[in-house]
Amino acid sequence: MKVTPLDIQQIGFRRAWRGYDRHEVDAFVSSLSDTFEELIKENREAKDRIGALEASLEELKRKEELINQTLVSAERMVDDMKRQAQREGELRIREAEVAADTQTRKAREERVTIEQEVITWRRRQIELVEQFRGFLKGIEKSLDLAIDPAQPGETVVGTPRVA
């Protein structure tokens, strides 16, 4: 049975010849009614506060779930970014290796070409030295004849004959 403050105020007791003092009982009932009313009010406020706290708790739980989902999403994104960076790094390394191989091959080809050119130039040098030696020998013979035109077995070309 629920008792309200109004029920307490309206309660009636039988009159007895040697009963309690009516004014004291009425004062006590009035005080009890006020206390009961305050308790009901506090209970209502507590229920309202509990309701607000429960709503706040639900909101916090929802936010926590959202934060957890965001965190998981961020972790996945970081993992994806790491994998992508790893792939890009590997690709750049492969590209650098290909470029290095290409440059090495070109350098080798240039070296072979240069070595062939050096050989060609050395042959040409030898040919020129030999031609120059022949030229010098020819000049030497001419000089020898100019100094001594009557050398045996040689004919002097371009020298006047004395008669």
Side-chain angles (χ1 to χ4, degrees):
M1 162 173 121
K2 278 191 160 187
V3 178
T4 67
L6 186 60
D7 292 336
I8 293 173
Q9 286 177 355
Q10 291 179 352
I11 196 161
F13 295 101
R14 290 184 306 201
R15 291 186 191 238
W17 178 66
R18 290 190 158 226
Y20 293 106
D21 180 8
R22 182 176 174 168
H23 293 293
E24 286 181 23
V25 170
D26 287 343
F28 177 74
V29 168
S30 178
S31 172
L32 182 63
S33 171
D34 292 343
T35 303
F36 195 75
E37 190 172 344
E38 281 181 38
L39 289 175
I40 290 175
K41 182 180 175 186
E42 287 177 10
N43 188 21
R44 191 175 316 118
E45 288 174 356
K47 284 181 180 179
D48 290 345
R49 218 175 22 201
I50 287 171
L53 289 173
E54 285 176 346
S56 177
L57 178 64
E58 286 302 315
E59 179 66 18
L60 290 174
K61 284 181 180 180
R62 188 186 65 74
K63 286 180 180 179
E64 179 186 25
E65 182 61 29
L66 183 62
I67 289 171
N68 286 336
Q69 290 173 356
T70 304
L71 181 61
V72 168
S73 177
E75 288 173 348
R76 285 183 188 147
M77 189 169 62
V78 166
D79 289 342
D80 290 345
M81 290 172 72
K82 283 180 183 178
R83 281 192 295 273
Q84 180 66 22
Q86 181 71 28
R87 278 185 250 139
E88 286 179 15
E90 290 171 358
L91 178 62
R92 288 187 180 177
I93 288 172
R94 277 189 242 125
E95 288 173 350
E97 288 172 347
V98 168
D101 289 344
T102 301
Q103 288 180 347
T104 302
R105 182 180 43 78
K106 285 181 181 180
R108 286 182 182 149
E109 290 172 358
E110 282 185 42
R111 187 188 79 208
V112 168
T113 302
I114 291 171
E115 286 174 349
Q116 289 173 350
E117 288 177 2
V118 167
I119 291 170
T120 301
W121 282 107
R122 283 191 181 155
R123 284 184 186 152
R124 181 72 180 134
Q125 180 187 18
I126 292 170
E127 288 174 7
L128 289 173
V129 168
E130 289 301 318
Q131 285 177 0
F132 191 65
R133 275 189 186 145
F135 176 73
L136 288 177
K137 282 183 184 179
I139 289 178
E140 185 182 7
K141 283 182 186 179
S142 295
L143 288 174
D144 286 344
L145 285 176
I147 292 177
D148 187 13
Q151 286 188 4
E154 294 184 8
T155 359
V156 179
V157 178
T159 55
R161 291 189 186 184
V162 180

